[in-house]
Amino acid sequence: MRRFLVFVACLGAVLTASGCGTDDPAPAPNGPATGGQPPASATPEAKTADPPRSFDKSAPVGLPSGAVRSNVAGHVTSLFMTLRDRTGYIVTPTALNVVDVLTGQQKWTVPFERTPGDPYNQSGPFVNTTGPRPPAVGDRLVVAAVPVVIPEKGTTPGYVALSVIAADREKGTKVWQAETKVSDDQYADASNAVTQVVAITDKAVIARYGRSDDHVTVALDPASGKTLWERKDYEAGSVHGDVVVGADFNVAENSSMVQATALDLATGGQKWAGAARSSSVVLVAADPALVVLTRTDYGSGDSSLLFLDPATGAERRKVDGEDQFGPSSYGTCRHDERSVLICDAGGVLTGYDAATAAPLWTLPDKAANRVAPSITLAWHGAVYGKTGGGQPIVLDARTGKDLATDDVGLVPALVSEYAGIAAGENGESLAYPVKS
């Protein structure tokens, strides 16, 4: 049986966008976007709300086309941007582009060295869920991971590598770029590879590469980019203090199985192994107090949501899902980056305390005559989505109650206290300022 692996990044569901390269941002609907840092006098006064309850659809701002990708129905299917305050950090196959989402103006760009391993991943008419995940943003560094091709040199064959690029968040200058070989096949390519910076800590930057049977995780020194350790057949998914937990494809008893394995953040030494052994392991970004993953049982195909102790791998809570085969068959879980994990499984929406795994609320609620909306995002105590009739709605993440139902204006794929990000009618990447 083919082994499956899907990791959900902090953003929640894994999603893809059109466009690549280092071109200037697309013109904004309310004015042209220009390169460079805008003067202070050009920076508009902006409304903020944490979390936002409504967005101004009358004043969308055009962003680079590579920020998000949508399908023909206009739904965002992939994200290549991390949003912090009013700044968007966008990864393409060739550069890290940073823009002010309220003006559409480029703040800085850092080009990547080497030939892209999958240059057309963010372009073309077809939607897929592979490619680079949005950059990780720390206090000082912004770090992105992309696949690259190292060319042959004389009789030394070329190969595919995971390239990790760190830039100074304020200065917009490259700090270091590190490369890790991922395949010994000189004819291999990196089409449909998934690359991600899992975490930035003061001890290590953790990045991963996954494609077919090539799985690599690398830990890099945050100051120099020097390799601290690397592990083959392993894809990191979450960091819990000094512990990294990931999907381990090296299961001696059965080569078709995957298990959760924990490593020491600084050394890569193994802490524990064998948890959630199954045909599919999906790590979920959540509170560091618990390891959260979904799994598909190897024999029965039964899916479940597991909460594990990061120190020991011991099971804290298990929630059974639907009986079906395939990756992510349990459903999708999103952390609100504060205290709640929201899971959507088989049309049932459930909120959990992210630190204890205690259930908080569930929809549908027949007794209260309430149904479950479809959701796209959870952030800072709010859950964003739409009703069965297609109307935008905001729920309280802690209680599941309606927080905003009128004049929400938008179903965002990304949100901050300044703006919501969504796709326009023609699939373009747009930022909508916060109204309230």
Side-chain angles (χ1 to χ4, degrees), residues 6-16 76-84 129 133-135 194 196 208 237 282-286 292 294 328 331-337 340-344 375-379 383-384 412-415:
V6 180
F7 284 97
V8 180
C10 302
L11 58 91
V14 193
L15 306 164
T16 1
V76 172
T77 57
S78 298
L79 299 173
F80 300 106
M81 183 174 81
T82 298
L83 180 62
R84 291 290 182 270
T129 57
R133 296 301 182 243
V194 174
Q196 181 184 8
R208 67 179 181 94
V282 182
L283 271 293
V284 178
V292 182
T294 65
S328 290
T332 301
C333 296
R334 300 170 174 86
H335 186 224
D336 77 341
E337 299 183 26
V340 182
L341 185 73
I342 312 296
C343 293
D344 186 356
I375 66 170
T376 60
L377 176 68
W379 190 74
V383 182
Y384 300 87
L414 285 171
V415 72

Side-chain angles (χ1 to χ4, degrees), residues 379-407:
W379 190 74
H380 285 203
V383 182
Y384 300 87
K386 62 181 178 181
T387 64
Q391 297 302 308
I393 191 171
V394 184
L395 304 182
D396 185 294
R398 199 75 195 171
T399 65
K401 295 181 179 179
D402 294 357
L403 189 62
T405 59
D406 299 322
D407 196 33

Side-chain angles (χ1 to χ4, degrees), residues 219-313:
L220 306 169
D221 180 86
S224 66
K226 179 182 177 181
T227 299
L228 302 176
W229 54 265
E230 67 176 273
R231 179 152 171 159
K232 301 284 188 180
D233 298 321
Y234 182 86
E235 289 193 42
S238 56
V239 172
H240 310 262
D242 291 334
V243 176
V244 180
V245 182
D248 188 352
F249 293 86
N250 188 12
V251 180
E253 297 90 334
N254 190 327
S255 61
S256 296
M257 298 183 75
V258 187
Q259 67 186 18
T261 295
L263 308 178
D264 183 272
L265 176 70
T267 67
Q270 189 160 295
K271 294 280 193 178
W272 50 261
R277 188 170 291 180
S278 59
S279 62
S280 166
V281 171
V282 182
L283 271 293
V284 178
D287 192 287
L290 291 172
V291 177
V292 182
L293 58 86
T294 65
R295 64 181 293 271
T296 302
D297 184 78
Y298 182 78
S300 67
D302 294 349
S303 65
S304 56
L305 171 69
L306 296 180
F307 297 85
L308 308 179
D309 185 324
T312 65

Side-chain angles (χ1 to χ4, degrees), residues 64-258:
S65 58
V68 305
R69 164 172 278 183
S70 62
N71 58 22
V72 293
H75 302 142
V76 172
T77 57
S78 298
L79 299 173
F80 300 106
M81 183 174 81
T82 298
L83 180 62
R84 291 290 182 270
D85 301 323
R86 57 184 290 166
T87 302
Y89 302 86
I90 304 167
V91 61
T92 79
T94 58
L96 176 62
N97 295 322
V98 179
V99 298
D100 183 324
V101 299
L102 294 187
T103 64
Q105 293 180 314
Q106 184 167 291
K107 299 177 70 174
W108 51 265
T109 184
V110 169
F112 302 154
E113 299 174 8
R114 303 295 193 183
T115 302
D118 192 3
Y120 306 112
N121 179 273
Q122 289 169 244
S123 62
F126 303 108
V127 171
N128 60 64
T129 57
T130 62
R133 296 301 182 243
V137 181
D139 294 336
R140 188 180 70 86
L141 295 179
V142 180
V143 190
V146 294
V148 298
V149 175
I150 307 300
E152 64 179 10
K153 186 174 183 180
T155 56
T156 302
Y159 57 91
V160 173
L162 169 65
S163 184
V164 183
I165 303 94
D168 187 286
R169 182 176 178 179
E170 295 300 324
K171 298 178 181 177
T173 55
K174 184 184 292 185
V175 178
W176 48 260
Q177 182 167 348
E179 292 163 353
T180 302
K181 187 177 183 179
V182 298
S183 176
D184 292 322
D185 183 358
Q186 63 176 311
Y187 302 108
D189 62 38
S191 60
N192 297 323
V194 174
T195 54
Q196 181 184 8
V197 178
V198 177
I200 303 172
T201 78
D202 58 353
K203 292 184 178 180
V205 172
I206 305 296
R208 67 179 181 94
Y209 175 101
R211 178 184 182 270
S212 302
D213 290 328
D214 293 323
H215 311 281
V216 178
T217 290
V218 61
L220 306 169
D221 180 86
S224 66
K226 179 182 177 181
T227 299
L228 302 176
W229 54 265
E230 67 176 273
R231 179 152 171 159
K232 301 284 188 180
D233 298 321
Y234 182 86
E235 289 193 42
S238 56
V239 172
H240 310 262
D242 291 334
V243 176
V244 180
V245 182
D248 188 352
F249 293 86
N250 188 12
V251 180
E253 297 90 334
N254 190 327
S255 61
S256 296
M257 298 183 75
V258 187

